[in-house]
Each structure stands twice: as C-alpha cells, then as structure tokens.
Amino acid sequence: MTDLLYSVLDTLDEPVLLLDTDRTIVQANVAAQKLLSLKSKTPLQGQSFVRVLRNPEALRCVDEVLAGQKRAHADIQLDTPHRVTMRLMAVALETDSPAVVVSLKDETPLLQAAQMRSDFVANVSHELRSPLTTLSGIIETLQGNAKDDLEAQQRFLKIMQSEAGRMDRLIGDLISLSRVEEEERVRPTESVDLVQIVQIVIRNLKERSESADRGFNLHSESEKCLVVGDPDQLTQVFQNLLENAVKYSKPGGQVSLKIESKKSVPRLNSTVWAVSVSDEGEGIAAEHLPRLTERFYRIDSGRSRAMGGTGLGLAIVKHILSRHRGRLHIASVPGEGVTITALIPAIL
Ligand SMILES: Nc1ncnc2c1ncn2[C@@H]1O[C@H](COP(=O)(O)OP(=O)(O)O)[C@@H](O)[C@H]1O
Ligand SMILES: [Mg+2]
C-alpha cells in the first residue's frame, strides 16, 4: 500500500478504515480519525477495530467479510458526540494486510428528511380529517333527527360552511407552501416598493369586518422602500404577519408597523429594509420562539383553529423571505406583545 493511496483516502469526507485479518486497524483516514477518536485523540492505527467501535453489528459485517463474503453492510448508531445513524460497509480486499475496507456514511440527514415527510403527511391528514368528521356527522344528523327541523338545518349549514372554509384555507396554504418551496431557488426579478405593499395589505384587512376595530399605524423611514421581489409573495408575507397580530392580540389593540433601513444584520451582507409588525397581545413565551416557523406548529391549536388558522402561515413567510435572500426575526416580551420583523435586502 503506497503513501499516495493513503493521502487519497485522506481527501475523502467519509471515514474509511483498513483492517487486517485479525481486525487490527492498519490505516484510518483523517475523517475516521476525527469521528472515532474524539475523546482519546490517540491514533486509530494499530488499535483493535472491535474496541474502537464497540458495536456488534459492525463486528458482524467485518467477520462475514473475513469469512469469505465479498461485502456486508449494517446501519449502526454512534454517539459522536450527538447520536448519528451511519451506514457501515465492509468490503473484502484481495490481500491479507489490509484484508477489509470499512467505510461509514452518515445517514442522519436522509433519515431526518424521511421523518419530516412522514410527519408532514400525518399532520395534513389529521388537519383534513377533523373538519371532514364534523361534516359527515352533520350530514347524518340532517338525514336523521334533524330531517324536518328547519332551524337546526340552518344552524348546521353554518357549521358546514365554516368547516368547508377551513378545508379550503388549508388546501390553499398547502398549495402556496409547495409553490414557494418549488420557486425558492429562483430569484425574483421585479423591483417592489414595500411601503405600497404594506399599505395595500392594511387597506384590505380594514375592509374585512374582523379587523375593523383595529388601529394600524405605519411609520416608514422613507417614502419608497425598494427591494427586488415578487409582489404577490411579499403581499402574502405581510398579510400573514398582520393577520396574526390581529388574531392573537386583544380586541381594539394597536398594531404598529415600522419600516427602517438596517446595516450589518447578522448573516445578511447588504443593507436591508426591516419591516416590523408589533402587537399588544399576550406575547409568546421564549421556548416557543424557535419553533414558530415549523409547519403546523401552534402554541394553542384550539385557539388557532377557532380563528381560522392553518398553522402554515409563518412557514410560508419564512420560505418566501428565504427566496428573497431575507430573514425573519421574532421577539416577544410575554404579557406585552410580539414584534415580528421581516428583513429584506434593499435596493438603495
Ligand atoms: N402576533 C402573535 N402573537 C402571539 N402568537 C402568535 C403571533 N403570531 C403567531 N403566533 C403563534 O404562532 C402560531 C403559528 O402562526 P402561523 O404559522 O401564522 O399559524 P396560524 O396563524 O394559522 O395558527 C400561531 O398559532 C400562534 O400560536
Ligand atoms: Mg397565521
């Protein structure tokens, strides 16, 4: 085995070990050294594979190969320093020293993605099933007990309408989310004025009865605040943020909007327009803040549902901002309210 081959192994991101017929480690590349000798720092070379990995499945693979099998694999769990799932592959060589190549591949991201997909499907099914169950129940009642009760029929029709509306909003948000995700890598091209967008959103909300009692005050540092953006998507961002501010704060409370420019925002390297929406509601406890943009994450799902929420609003907002190379910042003092800020790179 040449030094050149060893240096080639060192260039690989995946940990690779070469073992002898007695399972001694003949050579370990840099990635393997980093992964497996975290605590001890002693070189893996010369150590027994069994003691380094201490995993019966890993040992089984190596032994099968030493017994004449061409290759063997297993998914093993390692605590290095957080738990990861790795696909271990043992392959026979034609020589005795080394006799086996063992490689490891981190499967955690793949498994996490699969888990997220199945959680998402379970959530969507659950969200669709509950209005559907209500509708089926009502239909049965209308065919039976309430057959000739006009008053009950009117009441049930109202519930049916609101449940159908709930399903419709959920499907609408799901379509929005998938569209935004699909376009996330395509940069928008239009030049858009945030002041104008925010004014339109305020006007639309005021026209809808449930926000009629609200005072929205808007302060903008500049008459025009231009960004490169998709006007429909940016409208959706501020609609979601303003609707939340209205829904989750006390009736009659003020909703304040501020647009200002900010330099040197962490992780954004240009000057941005920061549009903040503040309400005077009960606020959000700190432990919820990092999770609010997760799909279907709601602090009080009963309340959110009663308000017509789907739990997807902030997830959509986050994806839209990411498409605009922007960010979302959420701050809250429990008992005093919430300030959610959208940061979007500015055209100056
Ligand atoms: N301004 C706010 N004040 C208090 N809680 C909020 C506010 N905005 C969002 N939230 C919380 O975040 C959750 C997720 O918001 P969102 O994704 O828009 O879903 P939805 O409004 O459909 O429930 C809400 O259910 C609510 O618990
Ligand atoms: Mg919402």
Side-chain angles (χ1 to χ4, degrees), residues 199-258:
Q199 280 168 340
I200 293 172
V201 173
I202 294 177
R203 195 179 332 127
N204 289 346
L205 275 178
K206 274 191 174 156
E207 275 166 15
R208 291 193 355 217
S209 56
E210 70 261 39
S211 313
D213 64 335
R214 293 308 172 124
F216 294 98
N217 53 59
L218 168 63
H219 281 288
S220 177
E221 190 183 276
S222 163
E223 237 168 74
K224 250 187 176 192
C225 301
L226 293 179
V227 297
V228 177
D230 177 321
D232 290 341
Q233 288 189 342
L234 290 175
T235 304
Q236 211 175 347
V237 165
F238 297 110
Q239 186 153 339
N240 271 318
L241 296 183
L242 284 175
E243 269 175 5
N244 281 351
V246 170
K247 279 196 302 194
Y248 303 113
S249 61
K250 50 180 184 282
Q254 282 284 318
V255 177
S256 312
L257 286 107
K258 203 160 68 184

Side-chain angles (χ1 to χ4, degrees), residues 138 141-142 145-146 149-158:
I138 291 179
T141 318
L142 285 177
N145 293 346
D149 184 343
L150 248 169
E151 199 189 315
Q153 282 176 7
Q154 289 309 315
R155 209 171 55 239
F156 282 134
L157 279 174
K158 268 220 175 78

